[in-house]
Amino acid sequence: MPDDQKPLSPKITRNVRTRLVHDGIRRSQYGEVSEAMFLTQGFVYDTAEQAEARFVELGDDEFIYARYGNPTVRMFEERIASLEGAEDAFATASGMAAVNGALCSMLRAGDHVVSARALFGSCLYILEEVLTRYGVEVTFVDGTDLDQWRAAVRPGTKAVFLEAISNPTLEIIDIKAVSEIAHAQGAMVLVDNVFATPILQRSLELGADALIYSATKHIDGQGRVLGGVILGTKEFIRKTVEPYMKHTGGSMSPFNAWVLLKGLETMDLRVRAQAATALHLASSLAGHEKLSRVVFPGLSDHPQHDLAARQMERGGTVLAIELKGGQDAAFKFLNALEIFTISNNLGDAKSIVTHPATTTHQRLPADQKVSLGITPGLIRVSCGLEDADDLLSDIFAALEVI
Ligand SMILES: *Cc1c(COP(=O)(O)O)cnc(C)c1O
């Protein structure tokens, strides 16, 4: 058994930061300190009999082909599963491979799914365009309205899908309440937990049955690679997700797994620093004369602040601000910023500003933009790791330009 996995004395605690550094390590015969990157597609067998045996049943430390599994990928899966307290995890090529894999592996024609409407564009595409094409019926609800969930989830509903915090308007869904509604009808709850982050919200403990992450965001946290992961029971991951993923080709590359494994080591430190910066920016900007709104779940004027306080440890790493002068003011502001980067990622070490109405949410029909609160003056702010007061001075200076 690898050193880092041997059982520890019960007197020694093993909290999140420790687990993010040590768990899942599979040390090779060379005894390397940093996790090895196994850039290999295949694995050799000592004998034909051994090859045959592996195809019958795979042992814990046995691999066949990188699309099925790889030691570096397995280290990443075990480390994040340990963090989440999940029985198992399957790593995917991107966040969208994870969303697609989780849903398509468990659904078939005739099934019914209920989903929150406020979704990341590509998630909406899978639910609205892909699943329906194969005969799955999808009902969309306003995720913050529990009555709509109660009305939509019916006996035989197979799954419920939601993003814990919506993008970019940061509405919060009550995972515990939605899970109770879903479980009462036998439906499985799948949560895309990207905006809540693996550090600030324990969605499995709140009632979710499976979690999905784009590892591209806070898990990498330094804007380098794409990745995703699905977490859940061993039964769901190995019997439902794995057969679908390994045969359809959405597995994570060992190189990306290595980058993300190292990302996990620093994630708790990074996310907490980013969350502290987000709160600092949001509270310093609230009430600014050039802004009509500052949206941040950690501020007491957020419509679901109490739920946020119950469900999350902090308000998150992203805030949204709305400029009074509409798109013209928003563009002037974006172009005047010197430290913030104009881009569309989030969770990065670099602070990033996004104008959702003209980029990430450009293709939404105008009436849907209005109903989701994606106004021409709205800007999403993802807080990075720079000095928080430097970021604030950058924002104040750019607001003066308008
Ligand atoms: C980015 C994102 C995804 C997709 O992840 P990729 O790694 O880009 O494929 C899915 N859901 C949410 C909420 C996201 O922010």
Side-chain angles (χ1 to χ4, degrees), residues 45 47-59 62 64:
Y45 314 104
T47 61
E49 287 79 3
Q50 191 185 53
E52 182 188 29
R54 271 197 210 177
F55 275 80
V56 174
E57 201 189 338
L58 216 49
E62 295 176 348
I64 289 179

Side-chain angles (χ1 to χ4, degrees), residues 94-97 99 120 123 163 167 192 194-195 214-217 226-228 346:
S94 67
M96 288 323 303
V99 174
F120 183 73
C123 296
E163 289 174 18
N167 168 29
D192 176 334
V194 166
F195 273 67
S214 163
T216 315
K217 314 292 165 56
L226 291 177
L346 62 105

Side-chain angles (χ1 to χ4, degrees), residues 4-5 14 17-25 79 265:
D4 284 73
Q5 290 181 332
R14 233 174 140 74
R17 281 198 197 163
T18 309
R19 284 188 270 133
L20 284 176
V21 173
H22 289 281
D23 279 11
I25 286 189
R79 187 166 291 177
E265 293 186 337

Side-chain angles (χ1 to χ4, degrees), residues 15 32 41 51 77 91 93 110 115 117 130 132 154-155 165 224 273 280 299 301 306 317 329 332 337 347 385:
N15 289 316
E32 65 281 353
Q41 300 153 340
E77 290 169 342
S115 171
R117 174 162 286 286
V130 180
T132 52
R154 59 190 195 220
I165 305 182
R224 299 162 297 188
H280 182 55
L299 289 184
D301 71 347
D306 290 344
T317 65
K332 280 201 183 103
L337 288 167
L385 294 174

